[in-house]
Amino acid sequence: MTADADPRTERRFERMRPLSQGVASRLAADDVPAGPTYPGLVQSIALMRFRHQWIPHLHRKYGDVFSIRILPEGRWLVVFNRPEHVREIFAGDPEVFHAGKGNAILGPVMGEHSLLLVDGAQHKRARKLLMPAFNGHALRTYESMIEGLAKTEIGSWQEGTPFRSLDRMNALTLEVILQVVFGVTDERRLAELRPLVNRTVNVSPAVFLGWGFPRLQGFGPWRRAFENQVALDRVIYAEIAERRRETDLESRTDVLSRLLLVRDEDDPSGGGLTDEELRDQLVTLLLAGHETTATALAWTLHELAKDPAEERKARDAATSGDGDHLEAVLKEAMRLHPVIPMVVRHLMEPATIGGIDLPAGANVAASIILAHSSETSHPDHDAFRPERFLAGDVAANTWIPFGGGVRRCIGAGFSLMEGVAVLREVLSVYDVGLPAGAREVPKVRNITSVPKHGARIVVTRR
Ligand code: HEM
């Protein structure tokens, strides 16, 4: 360990070793619906690297429900996609349908209090305390700051020169997280945070896996990633301590300032979130909210650039202030290009889904890839048709990019508001086109599916 590490950082790494969580129960093939029979390692790799081809292939071969063998051996993922099955998964009792377990690998970075990692009563409490910072009233207070950041970003674009919109959207959504979520506006602190946060976001799956082995922590990429965490924690804890001393929190419009004011009504001492809880939730919001929103925006710009008629309609909407149309454009791009492939729950007790009895220990997934490409749910499913969202043609549990139930993405409203604000700024200044020969296919990057070539676009001032 590093001599100058905050003891809280060291404690987190000690406690959150992902592989020490173990497998609660090993299941056999006949405990779950049929699926491919190759070894868990092969199936886990196929699921991680080739999901856009492999999951639709399994659907064609096995039908609407199938099971994938995943590592460690003895674990299974039962994949569903029909709207009625998705509804049952989302409505499942949170004490039985756990979500945090599957994210244990993120523990050393996100921390034990992370909303993504906790279950049951702990999740209920954290969600209740975080929710007010993401309700409609709070979202409206973030909007003008996001517009300002988008204007600055867009102002730096070079007309006529193709560029990777994914990179520009990543830079912009990172700024949104730092300034609107963390509430940091001091340029010196921003300059200190940007590289630390970038390195945190870019931690590779190999580093995450390696944290299960304490001895690796002293070497190469694991040591560098740990030292980066030590440095990031130091800045975040300093920011929290300084912010606690501020007397104008009520008038501040950022997520951290709001979180500092929340009080737990069920706690007799009326306590709020501790420094460690705040750190864990901030890093969670950063990791969950930055690349996801940037990716959705890059796919949207790609689709508009590809389709001049839809681009013209979106530009008209931006000029006339028709936010509903812009939201439909964003939602349709998220339908065609799911950023996250599936949401998973771990069964703590036996449960029945779609009439199929499943044992405790099974993992169940609602496949976003399959739900969004269903021809029954979304006629002409390969086409980019934002109007389907305006005509009320999209039924419940068929468009699920943000998951659902008590675990539905807490930042869903935030990212839609951010996406619409960014599109409005881009399209009221520029015409967006596709550079000659540009094409796109999804590429897996950690958990998200990003446009492989960075969604290159070319802009011309209107
Ligand atoms: C296009 C952008 C985004 C997508 C596609 C997305 C997708 C998701 C999905 C699929 C889940 C899991 C839901 C489930 O298990 O049912 C989730 C959870 C979560 N998301 Fe997002 N997200 C996005 C943006 C954001 C933003 C902007 C934030 C915060 C600023 C955020 C914070 C979170 C958190 C904290 C959770 C955990 C919720 C819980 O377990 O209670 N996300 N997101």
Side-chain angles (χ1 to χ4, degrees), residues 115-116 123 127 288-289 292 334 343 345 401-404 407 409-411:
L115 189 63
L116 264 165
H123 175 260
R127 182 103 189 176
T292 43
M334 290 171 76
V343 292
R345 305 286 185 258
F402 297 112
R407 304 301 292 234
C409 174
I410 202 169

Side-chain angles (χ1 to χ4, degrees), residues 68-149:
I68 295 175
R69 200 189 284 252
I70 51 172
L71 291 181
E73 286 299 342
R75 283 184 64 189
W76 298 83
L77 183 65
V78 187
V79 181
F80 294 84
N81 76 92
R82 292 174 70 98
E84 61 274 26
H85 299 164
V86 169
R87 178 169 36 82
E88 286 181 48
I89 293 173
F90 289 162
D93 176 354
E95 296 294 340
V96 178
F97 289 67
H98 275 194
K101 301 237 162 1
N103 300 323
I105 191 174
L106 304 168
V109 174
M110 289 194 176
E112 65 184 307
H113 308 288
S114 164
L115 189 63
L116 264 165
L117 265 63
V118 291
D119 281 301
Q122 233 187 324
H123 175 260
K124 204 169 160 191
R125 170 181 181 270
R127 182 103 189 176
K128 199 168 142 205
L129 295 180
L130 259 64
M131 214 48 209
F134 291 93
N135 67 21
H137 168 73
L139 292 187
R140 280 188 291 280
T141 66
Y142 308 140
E143 202 169 359
S144 64
M145 202 158 169
I146 293 178
E147 280 166 9
L149 293 171

Side-chain angles (χ1 to χ4, degrees), residues 59-367:
H59 183 225
R60 285 191 296 274
K61 184 160 178 192
Y62 295 99
D64 275 333
V65 186
F66 51 85
S67 304
I68 295 175
R69 200 189 284 252
I70 51 172
L71 291 181
E73 286 299 342
R75 283 184 64 189
W76 298 83
L77 183 65
V78 187
V79 181
F80 294 84
N81 76 92
R82 292 174 70 98
E84 61 274 26
H85 299 164
V86 169
R87 178 169 36 82
E88 286 181 48
I89 293 173
F90 289 162
D93 176 354
E95 296 294 340
V96 178
F97 289 67
H98 275 194
K101 301 237 162 1
N103 300 323
I105 191 174
L106 304 168
V109 174
M110 289 194 176
E112 65 184 307
H113 308 288
S114 164
L115 189 63
L116 264 165
L117 265 63
V118 291
D119 281 301
Q122 233 187 324
H123 175 260
K124 204 169 160 191
R125 170 181 181 270
R127 182 103 189 176
K128 199 168 142 205
L129 295 180
L130 259 64
M131 214 48 209
F134 291 93
N135 67 21
H137 168 73
L139 292 187
R140 280 188 291 280
T141 66
Y142 308 140
E143 202 169 359
S144 64
M145 202 158 169
I146 293 178
E147 280 166 9
L149 293 171
K151 275 200 176 78
T152 309
E153 166 57 38
I154 290 158
S156 72
W157 290 2
Q158 295 270 321
E159 273 188 88
T161 312
F163 63 93
R164 290 168 51 96
S165 67
L166 179 62
D167 298 350
R168 296 324 311 153
M169 291 300 121
N170 263 322
L172 173 55
T173 59
L174 179 64
E175 237 24 64
V176 169
I177 295 280
L178 292 180
Q179 302 200 32
V180 182
V181 176
F182 288 23
V184 177
T185 46
D186 173 61
E187 197 39 60
R188 268 219 330 264
R189 181 142 287 165
L190 281 171
E192 202 178 0
L193 270 171
R194 277 186 201 112
L196 296 172
V197 157
N198 264 326
R199 282 198 286 272
T200 303
V201 171
N202 290 323
V203 168
S204 73
V207 169
F208 275 120
L209 283 170
W211 275 325
F213 306 93
R215 290 219 289 209
L216 281 180
Q217 247 161 59
F219 299 101
W222 293 279
R223 183 179 186 88
R224 283 194 295 279
F226 175 71
E227 284 171 355
N228 188 61
Q229 281 300 302
V230 169
L232 178 67
D233 281 7
R234 201 179 309 115
V235 182
I236 294 184
Y237 282 129
E239 183 67 33
I240 293 171
E242 284 165 33
R243 201 75 64 80
R244 280 202 192 278
R245 290 196 290 272
E246 299 290 352
T247 50
D248 64 345
L249 289 182
E250 255 126 31
S251 60
R252 289 187 178 228
T253 51
D254 63 83
V255 173
L256 173 58
S257 296
R258 283 177 192 279
L259 294 182
L260 280 165
L261 288 170
V262 293
R263 292 288 166 263
D264 184 355
E265 290 153 15
D266 301 330
D267 175 353
S269 61
L273 291 156
T274 65
D275 287 359
E276 278 173 87
E277 286 176 306
L278 285 165
R279 189 226 76 101
D280 291 357
Q281 304 306 4
L282 286 179
V283 175
T284 300
L285 297 174
L286 159 72
L287 289 176
H290 154 50
E291 284 198 326
T292 43
T293 310
T295 304
L297 271 164
W299 279 118
T300 309
L301 290 172
H302 170 75
E303 285 302 327
L304 290 177
K306 221 170 72 176
D307 188 335
E310 286 301 338
E311 196 256 357
R312 200 168 320 112
K313 276 193 254 171
R315 266 195 282 130
D316 291 345
T319 320
S320 65
D322 182 356
D324 289 348
H325 184 85
L326 293 179
E327 188 171 295
V329 166
L330 193 63
K331 287 179 165 174
E332 176 67 340
M334 290 171 76
R335 182 191 68 76
L336 264 180
H337 306 287
V339 176
I340 308 272
M342 58 174 63
V343 292
V344 179
R345 305 286 185 258
H346 181 81
L347 295 184
M348 304 303 290
E349 287 171 27
T352 304
I353 300 169
I356 302 169
D357 293 330
L358 295 166
N363 299 287
V364 294
S367 168

